[in-house]
Amino acid sequence: MKLITAIIKPFRLEDVREALVALGVPGMTVSEASGYGRQRGHTEVYRGAEYTIDLVPKVRIEIVVEDADADSVIDAIVATARTNSIGDGKVWSSSIDQVIRVRTGERGHDAL
Amino acid sequence: MTMNSGDTAWVLAATAMVLLMTPGLAFFYGGMVRAKSVLNMMMMSFVTIGIVSVLWTIFGYGLAFGDSGSGLYGSIGLSHLASAVNSMPNNGGVYPIPELAFSAFQLMFAVITPALISGAIADRTKLVAWVIFVSIWVTIVYFPVAHWVFDFGTKHKDGSITGAGWLASRGVLDFAGGTAVHINAGAAALALALVLGKRVGFARTPMKPHNLPLVLIGAGLLWFGWFGFNAGSALGANGLAALALINTQVATAAALLGWLIIEKFRDGHPTTLGAASGAVAGLVAITPACAFVAPWGAVLIGFAAGAVCALAVGLKYKFGFDDSLDVVGVHLVGGILGCIAIGFLGTTTVNSAGANGLLYGGGFTLLGKQALAVVSVFAFSFVISYVLGTIIKHTIGFRITEEAEVSGIDLAEHQETGYEFGLASGSFASRLGSAREGAES
Ligand SMILES: Nc1ncnc2c1ncn2[C@@H]1O[C@H](COP(=O)(O)OP(=O)(O)OP(=O)(O)O)[C@@H](O)[C@H]1O
Ligand SMILES: [Mg+2]
């Protein structure tokens, strides 16, 4: 199994989520995140005092899927999250050893 | 003379409006500090309402408006408010309102003035030290200075006047307290910022305002209450009150714009904090001048105050003192600007009790008096505040520990937090009843 983590622009979340639902992805975790890539954040000025705000608000999506589904899920996220401007985000995947459904104790594929 | 119910009603209403300014100030300041110090910042204003109101009742009113004959302070002893139930105030002439209404109105000025100082020493002041400072400061600085400026003495039947404050009797024009309130508080703020020193991380770590909507609510309440402050100072429902009211409005509006224009050209963006700050700078500057200048003069004063104060708030970084919320840049600078501006723009066409400034053919006489008032109030307040602050610093200590300051003064001084953030809210130390049961979603 694979854990796919996507950091995207918050305003793209709804489209990405709909695309994933259409693909049949059964569940996901969404959280607010902040970070920066190559360009860093922005500046704010309060009574003439300038502050550099490095962290930019982002949304983090985490999805655990079967190995075979990983590529199509990644492709769907990349296609719907892209706006062709800087800060569109990153997607990465990693291998997962185990998943357990808490209510039933099912493990592995059955737990997805 | 019998009491005038219209005048009385206006002064009573204005009194309540001026009281509201201090909670308004608490919002204005509270929104500007970091989330971990919002309660302490607001508490410094609220506790001041408590302290000063009690001291006023005991001896403050007498010390400010009694008669010692010296011109430097009023009478020493009890205020004797109870004996003022049926009398009318004689302040350079008798006003047909209850003396108690006059006393309550003036009390609100005594309340907000020390509260203004608190913005300079945000995030780091021991509450007990603040309480002691405020108690002594109003006694030896505010009450006497209010006497200097606001006590026009007792007018006798033969027309003679006794017991006036030394600045009031010299013909200094300060309608609602540019000197006694704003320069006074601003000078004390500068002194305390120097005595207490900078906050941990000043000019290195971000200290952004944590709640700008709160700052705007505070500015709105100050603006509203200030009509009571300035127009109420006419002590009657009359043309002078109306002049003060319209001048207060237009000066504040112009100052708001002045500050925003500076920001647009200097920083690229006009900010809401700038709009709120500009409005307060305009309110400060028009305070002494509101009943002595024409409305066009008020627009000029306001616009200049907004622009000048927007530039002045940067000075603390240059000179390296941590006047945290710019009490110096707004109240001291705005107060001086307003007091001096009367020397140019004062005109007897709007108020026969006023005087003509330089631009109205009055020469330099008025300007000289105004400068004397500015310098003497600044010097007196700065020196006494610096000495008093230093004594407190070396006896009970003026600052909380560095650790308490970094983790947040709200928790250290009050065992409270301003905002409930869910996960970190902890659990009951002692539960009412047994363990909680039931469904969970
Ligand atoms: N190397 C990384 N490790 C972890 N998270 C990262 C990394 N790079 C970027 N992120 C996360 O992804 C978010 C978006 O990054 P962003 O799209 O700006 O990357 P970028 O490499 O700068 O690409 P672009 O040039 O398109 O802006 C960041 O705010 C951060 O949360
Ligand atoms: Mg980037």
Side-chain angles (χ1 to χ4, degrees), chain B residues 27-401:
Chain B
F27 292 149
F28 183 67
Y29 281 171
M32 255 187 276
V33 296
R34 291 164 290 175
K36 62 185 179 184
S37 1
V38 57
L39 293 176
N40 176 260
M41 192 71 257
M42 299 183 73
M43 183 68 146
M44 288 173 91
S45 283
F46 273 81
V47 77
T48 300
I49 302 178
I51 299 164
V52 178
S53 303
V54 170
L55 295 184
W56 184 260
T57 311
I58 302 172
F59 61 81
Y61 178 58
L63 197 48
F65 288 97
D67 183 1
S68 67
S70 69
L72 297 175
Y73 52 88
S75 56
I76 293 175
L78 297 177
S79 282
H80 295 299
L81 286 181
S83 66
V85 171
N86 293 311
S87 63
M88 290 179 274
N90 187 336
N91 194 30
V94 175
Y95 290 86
I97 59 174
E99 186 173 356
L100 281 187
F102 173 75
S103 177
F105 181 68
Q106 289 295 340
L107 159 60
M108 302 314 170
F109 286 57
V111 165
I112 195 167
T113 305
L116 289 171
I117 302 168
S118 65
I121 50 173
D123 302 345
R124 58 194 187 285
T125 307
K126 261 191 201 170
L127 189 74
V128 58
W130 172 248
V131 167
I132 291 169
F133 176 81
V134 168
S135 307
I136 300 176
W137 190 86
V138 286
T139 304
I140 63 177
V141 180
Y142 183 79
F143 298 150
V145 172
H147 182 79
W148 298 3
V149 179
F150 292 145
D151 193 335
F152 291 89
T154 305
K155 189 170 190 178
H156 301 284
K157 289 209 171 63
D158 61 3
S160 64
I161 288 180
T162 56
W166 75 277
L167 288 174
S169 62
R170 270 177 177 69
V172 167
L173 298 183
D174 180 359
F175 195 67
T179 54
V181 176
H182 297 289
I183 294 176
N184 204 357
L190 179 59
L192 287 195
L194 294 173
V195 169
L196 270 81
K198 302 170 198 171
R199 283 169 294 178
V200 178
F202 173 69
R204 279 183 289 119
T205 57
M207 294 179 176
K208 296 198 308 179
H210 88 285
N211 188 338
L212 286 172
L214 201 62
V215 173
L216 290 163
I217 292 174
L221 287 175
L222 283 167
W223 195 332
F224 173 78
W226 225 294
F227 290 127
F229 197 91
N230 286 355
S233 291
L235 296 178
N238 51 36
L240 207 55
L243 175 69
L245 191 141
I246 182 95
N247 280 346
T248 301
Q249 174 63 17
V250 298
T252 307
L256 184 157
L257 297 177
W259 192 301
L260 291 183
I261 288 169
I262 292 288
E263 281 193 334
K264 178 66 189 166
F265 286 105
R266 184 187 57 189
D267 312 326
H269 297 278
T271 66
T272 55
L273 179 61
S277 310
V280 172
L283 290 162
V284 169
I286 199 60
T287 292
C290 61
F292 301 120
V293 300
W296 73 267
V299 170
L300 272 189
I301 291 173
F303 195 78
V308 169
C309 292
L311 297 169
V313 292
L315 293 178
K316 64 180 179 185
Y317 297 107
K318 220 176 228 119
F319 293 110
F321 63 94
D322 184 4
D323 168 19
S324 313
L325 309 183
D326 302 307
V327 185
V328 175
V330 174
H331 294 272
L332 180 60
V333 172
I336 292 173
L337 191 148
C339 288
I340 296 299
I342 302 171
F344 292 92
L345 294 165
T347 166
T348 50
T349 54
V350 294
N351 181 354
S352 58
N356 285 326
L358 199 55
L359 299 183
Y360 284 86
F364 287 94
T365 321
L366 181 57
L367 197 57
K369 292 176 187 171
Q370 297 302 107
L372 170 73
V374 165
V375 170
S376 52
V377 172
F378 174 83
F380 180 72
S381 176
F382 182 83
V383 170
I384 305 279
S385 304
Y386 196 93
V387 171
L388 175 59
T390 305
I391 292 172
I392 292 178
K393 176 177 169 178
H394 292 297
T395 49
I396 60 167
F398 225 134
R399 284 181 74 146
I400 58 173
T401 64

Side-chain angles (χ1 to χ4, degrees), chain A residues 7-8 33-39 56-58 85-90 92:
Chain A
I7 312 290
I8 63 167
S34 34
Y36 58 84
R38 296 182 297 189
Q39 297 88 359
V56 181
K58 298 286 170 184
S85 52
I86 56 166
D88 273 353
K90 293 259 161 83
W92 57 85

Side-chain angles (χ1 to χ4, degrees), chain B residues 403-424:
Chain B
E403 189 187 345
E405 185 183 327
V406 171
S407 56
I409 191 169
D410 286 358
L411 209 51
E413 287 289 280
H414 310 293
Q415 290 278 297
E416 286 181 297
T417 44
Y419 302 94
E420 169 60 62
F421 288 123
L423 285 181

